Amino acid sequence: MNIASVIVDVPAKQTDREFDYSIPDKWINVVKPGMRVIVPFGPRMVQGFVTGLKNETELKKLREIKEILDLEPVLNEELLRLGNWLTDETMCFRITALQAMLPAALKAKYEKVLRIHEGRKELVDERVRAAFRDRKFISWKDVLQEDNAALFQKQVQKGNLEVIYYVKDKLNKKTVRFVEPLLTSEELAQYAGTLAASAKKQYEVLQFFIENPGKIQLRTLLEAVKASNGTIKALAKKNILAERDEEIYRDPYENRVFDKTSPFKLTEEQSAALRPIQKSIKENSHDVFLLYGVTGSGKTEIYLQAIDAVIKKGEEAIMLVPEISLTPQTVKRFKERFGEQVAVMHSGLSIGEKYDEWRKIHRKEVKVVVGARSAIFAPFENLGVIIIDEEHESSYKQEETPRYHARDVAIQRANQHNCPVILGSATPALESFARAKKEIYQLLTLSKRMNNSQLPQVEIVDMREELRAGNRSMFSENLFAKLKDRLQKGEQTVLLLNKRGHSSFVMCRSCGLVINCPNCDISLTYHRFNDSLKCHYCGHEEDIPKTCPECGSDHIRFFGTGTQKVEEELVKILPEARVIRMDVDTTSRKGSHERLLNRFQEGHADILLGTQMIAKGLDFPNITLVGVLSADTMLHLPDFRSSEKTFQLLTQVSGRAGRHKLAGEVVIQTYTPEHYSIELSGMQDFDAFYEREMHIRRQSLYPPYYYVALINISHEDLMKTAATTEKIAKYVSAGLSPEAMVLGPVASPISRIKNRYRYQCLIKYKREPQLKQLLRTLLEHYQQETAQNHLQISIDLNPQIMM
DNA sequence: AGCACGCCGACT
DNA sequence: GTCGGCGTGCTC
């Protein structure tokens, strides 16, 4: 086996295949599938993944693997297979799939630098030589910044300058400096006696080691003896002490003590739900369970006990949680139960921290991973269970390539490992519930809350009537009265507003002009924080115009309501209330999410005001009121799931109230109280909602009755975009069976982003075995135009959002 | 994706 | 004649 098949890190259609490399003799039996290597590719060096080994190839001449990056494969056999499955399933490049399964730290960085060719210094153009005066290497990137790039290029052509291609790891292993004595305590004491009288600090350090033998972290030592680095250095120089850097894990949860908890006693309902899961774990059978339990019904305890059973069996568990509810509170529950056996993975960690958590899994130092979507790729080898909490959450679908859904990956992996999958939710995705009803999934139901607490009382307030009654504020009489009441009682309130920023848009009252983003077809949002207008899509930022750019009038006004504005309003009407605002703006800094929640939990605030991110996972006993300021914001989005999303959000947020001893109340403000998703979420009646929504889906031919695939096309030129989409729609339509429907072309809901026009067409189908092949041919056909970046085509099978 | 190679128009 | 623009094709 002296030839390796390698997938190179060049995400392009033409390079999306294996390339063969010969393995240098010294590395035969060292190189294994799943390892990262550096290989020459054309004139440069690139990173690649070894996918297989073989003895023969059709090629006459092979180039050699230049370097091996891993001691152990980073992808095991199962994950390599999963990579192929992902590639096929999401129609991405193989390299993209492989990289998606690994932490970002393992992705290569490339650098191209120039150096004067040895012995040719005199031949180099003097202007170029001048640039090299104070350095040996010049980065090609820097050369391009300057206006004499051509000069350098010529020198390269002449062979006077050498081009070196670097492949660097993003990988940084964190090290900490340790100090340890090289002598025994007796020898140290003896030596201390010989020290000069002036070397007081050195004497103290030696005393320290006599009392505390063994290695110690340098920083701790310096603090303990109040010495400086120089003292240690001096002793090290005399070979009394040794300094050494040791690799450590960054522990995002260091300095935190988790009290060990034991399994709670389950209610009868919980036990009944856990039993079939345990059976499946015991028998290694690949079952998919849908754990359908109302908010507060104790799903987490079932997860914990299922994981416990898996650990006892010597196997491993993956626990997926939506990104926004991966709160310290959630993590705590798992750390408390399983202690050091838990790794945590979420976007709040730095690249290095994520890498360290990943390594704990890779080195089999942990048994459980709790994480967001990408944790589904945790490199465990004996999976015993995969759990997806809040399985309906759209964040389980990755919105960039590879566009995978963690639920599908979970089922695929569990199939390979012969282990069960548990999908949990109080408001399952329609697709999942339908599958449970068809007995593809096993339905487990929890209909009662724990602690015997009742589901909260929900009141729906018609804001149109409030307006008619002369109340123009954003709080209805009812909600305001209840807010005041809680304030008096010292109980807490959660207020949900599904919009960030201050106002949703800025308009001129004289001519009606709405200030739009110059690059995107979307209105700019006012941000009070720096008093500016911001585009949420391309990041464009500008000052608020003093006068209307269209008509010159100064009647510029803010419309719509954002969390910032509500906060200001609260200060006005309830000045005594202490408010914590949580949205993307206040939680962008690392750990701020946690800090705000802690403050709320500890009772330093009366009202928690926030966007969607507060709807999940909060479990605070003192919350007795939940207010939804405007339930309809999501309802009118151009998306066939908008009713489902609205129902889920309202039901979830309602579930935050009255989870413990105190009873909870919910006030939902809306302009469309008659809408079934609002009405039924008020009754917390998922089953009725399911029936109602399924009926609509059947009539309108949407999932779960039909599959959908979305093709997005973008181009700088509007006509070209429309024309190409038209052609694509025709082509797809012709290639599919008559039962399939192709809708469009239509302009995307946001018809322009970053100066590119966007069109889409939607395919609805039941069974089209040739669909993927057809789409692949389509991509191939436009390959040239997409390679030149004029045209972008993205295909999303089972899209979660229609933008 | 890069990068080389090659073909064409514009300039010393 | 040569420089540099971009279209074309290749990378084990």
Side-chain angles (χ1 to χ4, degrees):
Chain A
M1 297 293 202
N2 56 351
I3 296 171
S5 301
V6 175
I7 296 285
V8 292
D9 180 17
V10 183
K13 191 86 224 154
Q14 292 167 85
T15 51
D16 188 26
R17 59 187 177 88
E18 285 166 344
F19 288 83
D20 292 345
Y21 287 88
S22 70
I23 304 172
D25 288 345
K26 56 179 171 179
W27 287 336
I28 288 177
N29 297 328
V30 174
V31 174
K32 294 184 195 112
M35 282 184 174
R36 295 170 308 140
V37 288
I38 296 175
V39 291
F41 195 64
R44 59 203 168 119
M45 293 289 163
V46 296
Q47 195 189 80
F49 288 87
V50 177
T51 52
L53 300 176
K54 54 188 182 181
N55 279 317
E56 281 165 41
T57 179
E58 287 115 59
L59 289 131
K60 281 179 237 92
K61 194 128 179 46
L62 293 184
R63 298 175 81 179
E64 279 191 345
I65 289 177
K66 165 125 186 297
E67 209 174 308
I68 308 178
L69 293 172
D70 303 306
L71 294 167
E72 282 298 315
V74 287
L75 293 169
N76 60 35
E77 228 174 279
E78 184 238 337
L79 289 172
L80 280 172
R81 249 180 292 136
L82 189 69
N84 292 340
W85 175 85
L86 250 190
T87 306
D88 196 52
E89 204 70 9
T90 67
M91 311 221 319
C92 66
F93 302 128
R94 282 187 75 186
I95 187 67
T96 315
L98 296 179
Q99 284 171 347
M101 300 193 288
L102 292 170
L106 297 184
K107 225 187 133 179
K109 277 197 305 193
Y110 298 99
E111 211 189 353
K112 182 180 170 186
V113 298
L114 302 178
R115 178 171 73 182
I116 295 181
H117 209 118
E118 220 154 307
R120 296 213 189 180
K121 194 166 178 208
E122 280 63 48
L123 301 169
V124 176
D125 180 283
E126 59 182 291
R127 279 166 292 178
V128 173
R129 211 186 313 162
F132 277 99
R133 192 167 314 146
D134 53 348
R135 54 195 161 161
K136 221 174 157 190
F137 301 97
I138 296 182
S139 158
W140 180 245
K141 236 163 115 197
D142 295 342
V143 172
L144 288 176
Q145 297 290 306
E146 293 175 43
D147 39 7
N148 56 356
L151 268 174
F152 284 80
Q153 209 164 25
K154 196 160 291 165
Q155 295 300 309
V156 171
Q157 268 165 23
K158 283 189 182 162
N160 296 339
L161 289 184
E162 200 180 354
V163 185
I164 302 165
Y165 294 90
Y166 279 119
V167 181
K168 283 201 278 190
D169 255 336
K170 276 196 185 141
L171 175 159
N172 283 311
K173 288 187 180 125
K174 192 173 177 182
T175 60
V176 163
R177 181 148 291 197
F178 281 90
V179 190
E180 72 181 332
L182 291 169
L183 306 175
T184 63
S185 292
E186 292 80 42
E187 288 169 325
L188 284 176
Q190 206 178 2
Y191 179 77
T194 69
L195 275 173
S198 58
K200 259 193 237 144
K201 278 293 169 195
Q202 292 192 22
Y203 184 83
E204 280 173 47
V205 171
L206 294 175
Q207 284 304 316
F208 180 90
F209 277 114
I210 292 166
E211 283 156 38
N212 315 280
K215 72 171 183 189
I216 184 173
Q217 210 177 312
L218 175 66
R219 220 178 57 197
T220 322
L221 174 68
L222 294 184
E223 272 164 31
V225 297
K226 302 220 162 30
S228 76
N229 220 339
T231 316
I232 310 299
K233 282 270 179 305
L235 286 166
K237 212 173 165 186
K238 291 185 274 187
N239 282 327
I240 309 296
L241 300 178
E243 285 185 293
R244 193 158 35 113
D245 287 334
E246 273 186 29
E247 186 191 319
I248 58 146
Y249 287 138
R250 305 162 183 84
D251 185 358
Y253 296 93
E254 76 176 331
N255 306 329
R256 209 85 60 88
V257 181
F258 295 101
D259 296 327
K260 181 101 178 128
T261 65
S262 322
F264 297 147
K265 183 145 176 28
L266 298 181
T267 64
E268 220 161 277
E269 244 190 358
Q270 284 175 312
S271 303
L274 182 60
R275 230 168 285 131
I277 295 171
Q278 281 171 327
K279 184 164 178 275
S280 176
I281 289 170
K282 206 173 135 205
E283 293 170 1
N284 295 323
S285 76
H286 170 54
D287 299 310
V288 181
F289 296 98
L290 178 62
L291 179 59
Y292 162 48
V294 295
T295 53
S297 60
K299 292 187 283 291
T300 311
E301 187 57 33
I302 293 183
Y303 303 150
L304 289 166
Q305 298 200 14
I307 294 171
D308 196 49
V310 164
I311 293 177
K312 289 214 170 91
K313 213 180 142 205
E315 296 181 334
E316 297 123 4
I318 296 177
M319 170 84 219
L320 292 192
V321 180
E323 186 70 65
I324 40 175
S325 67
L326 196 53
T327 56
Q329 224 190 349
T330 319
V331 173
K332 196 167 150 243
R333 288 195 69 173
F334 287 88
K335 287 245 177 188
E336 280 172 346
R337 190 68 58 86
F338 304 115
E340 294 295 303
Q341 305 186 83
V342 183
V344 180
M345 291 251 199
H346 61 88
S347 65
L349 303 180
S350 70
I351 287 181
E353 284 170 336
K354 272 187 221 156
Y355 172 57
D356 285 350
E357 294 294 301
W358 179 87
R359 271 195 303 163
K360 286 185 198 167
I361 304 165
H362 191 231
R363 293 181 171 179
K364 309 195 187 342
E365 292 171 0
V366 292
K367 289 280 179 188
V368 184
V369 60
V370 180
R373 182 180 58 231
S374 65
I376 195 61
F377 298 114
F380 284 130
E381 294 190 326
N382 301 294
L383 274 174
V385 70
I386 302 177
I387 302 170
I388 304 187
D389 189 30
E390 310 285 3
E391 65 89 31
H392 62 277
E393 268 294 304
S394 53
S395 67
Y396 286 126
K397 173 72 188 284
Q398 178 147 79
E399 290 302 338
E400 310 103 59
T401 47
R403 299 176 182 271
Y404 66 91
H405 199 298
R407 194 199 290 136
D408 303 332
V409 181
I411 293 170
Q412 175 68 16
R413 284 199 80 182
N415 193 7
Q416 298 280 314
H417 285 268
N418 284 315
C419 76
V421 174
I422 308 172
L423 308 173
S425 178
T427 52
L430 246 59
E431 283 99 324
S432 299
F433 205 71
R435 284 192 175 161
K437 289 222 153 174
K438 279 173 82 180
E439 296 183 1
I440 300 169
Y441 299 164
Q442 291 188 46
L443 186 65
L444 307 169
T445 310
L446 300 176
S447 55
K448 295 187 206 77
R449 283 189 149 188
M450 290 188 313
N451 319 322
N452 281 327
S453 66
Q454 293 297 302
L455 282 170
Q457 281 284 316
V458 182
E459 236 175 291
I460 294 170
V461 176
D462 187 345
M463 290 305 275
R464 293 169 304 190
E465 266 171 39
E466 292 285 320
L467 206 61
R468 255 176 251 134
N471 177 8
R472 300 187 60 191
S473 93
M474 46 191 121
F475 297 96
S476 58
E477 291 279 343
N478 197 327
L479 180 57
F480 183 63
K482 291 205 159 90
L483 263 173
K484 260 179 117 163
D485 173 64
R486 297 307 127 111
L487 219 50
Q488 258 159 24
K489 288 195 203 146
E491 292 170 8
Q492 291 178 303
T493 301
V494 165
L495 282 181
L496 174 82
L497 181 73
N498 212 359
K499 213 164 226 157
R500 66 174 167 132
H502 187 265
S503 300
S504 26
F505 60 100
V506 178
M507 190 169 94
C508 165
R509 279 209 294 176
S510 299
C511 70
L513 176 88
V514 174
I515 313 276
N516 275 338
C517 173
N519 312 318
C520 310
D521 183 38
I522 195 115
S523 57
L524 291 174
T525 301
Y526 175 59
H527 281 249
R528 183 61 183 263
F529 160 68
N530 52 357
D531 214 34
S532 69
L533 298 176
K534 210 170 170 178
C535 172
H536 286 183
Y537 285 86
C538 72
H540 169 87
E541 210 171 327
E542 62 181 66
D543 292 338
I544 305 156
K546 298 259 180 321
T547 56
C548 172
E550 193 71 23
C551 68
S553 137
D554 57 0
H555 293 278
I556 302 276
R557 254 204 61 179
F558 307 126
F559 286 83
T561 312
T563 40
Q564 285 181 23
K565 199 165 168 190
V566 177
E567 190 182 20
E568 286 164 28
E569 178 90 3
L570 276 171
V571 172
K572 257 184 251 161
I573 60 170
L574 288 170
E576 69 275 29
R578 297 161 303 165
V579 182
I580 289 180
R581 195 183 104 216
M582 264 182 67
D583 54 29
V584 196
D585 297 322
T586 63
T587 55
S588 52
R589 283 231 320 282
K590 203 178 155 186
S592 46
H593 192 254
E594 179 177 9
R595 258 196 311 283
L596 292 175
L597 282 182
N598 277 345
R599 259 175 59 208
F600 188 64
Q601 182 172 24
E602 285 158 16
H604 297 306
D606 310 296
I607 299 172
L608 179 66
L609 163 69
T611 53
Q612 292 193 42
M613 64 175 71
I614 61 167
K616 290 179 186 65
L618 299 188
D619 191 356
F620 300 150
N622 206 26
I623 300 174
T624 59
L625 176 63
V626 167
V628 179
L629 290 171
S630 168
D632 350 49
T633 39
M634 293 174 81
L635 208 49
H636 309 297
L637 294 174
D639 189 322
F640 68 87
R641 285 197 183 85
S642 61
S643 300
E644 189 183 350
K645 293 274 156 59
T646 303
F647 179 84
Q648 287 165 348
L649 180 67
L650 294 180
T651 310
Q652 294 285 344
V653 75
S654 302
R656 297 312 111 206
R659 292 170 73 95
H660 295 261
K661 293 216 174 61
L662 300 168
E665 269 188 305
V666 179
V667 177
I668 295 176
Q669 302 188 156
T670 171
Y671 289 91
T672 47
E674 65 284 353
H675 192 284
Y676 64 96
S677 67
I678 290 174
E679 216 180 334
L680 292 173
S681 74
M683 300 180 209
Q684 316 245 318
D685 191 345
F686 175 79
D687 298 83
F689 175 79
Y690 173 78
E691 293 302 331
R692 189 78 186 263
E693 184 69 15
M694 282 296 269
H695 184 71
I696 292 169
R697 299 283 179 91
R698 181 162 54 220
Q699 282 188 329
S700 52
L701 315 175
Y702 271 114
Y705 293 98
Y706 273 72
Y707 291 107
V708 292
L710 185 69
I711 310 180
N712 266 296
I713 286 96
S714 85
H715 195 282
E716 293 155 354
D717 181 77
L718 175 62
M719 296 310 288
K720 183 83 185 160
T721 316
T724 309
T725 313
E726 176 79 47
K727 256 192 246 167
I728 288 174
K730 283 224 174 79
Y731 172 77
V732 171
S733 192
L736 295 178
S737 76
E739 283 88 64
M741 281 156 289
V742 178
L743 309 180
V746 290
S748 301
I750 300 166
S751 65
R752 188 176 49 126
I753 292 180
K754 294 181 189 167
N755 278 323
R756 296 182 68 93
Y757 292 91
R758 308 167 77 240
Y759 265 67
Q760 57 183 209
C761 71
L762 187 72
I763 309 165
K764 297 205 259 183
Y765 63 100
K766 259 199 180 324
R767 241 186 60 85
E768 299 293 333
Q770 74 285 40
L771 176 68
K772 276 188 201 141
Q773 193 46 53
L774 186 78
L775 294 174
R776 235 170 251 132
T777 324
L778 175 81
L779 287 177
E780 209 126 318
H781 181 258
Y782 286 101
Q783 186 211 305
Q784 243 175 24
E785 272 174 281
T786 47
Q788 291 163 126
N789 202 29
H790 295 136
L791 187 68
Q792 277 171 22
I793 304 177
S794 85
I795 297 175
D796 194 344
L797 301 161
N798 300 318
Q800 288 295 306
I801 36 179
M802 305 306 244
M803 315 277 249

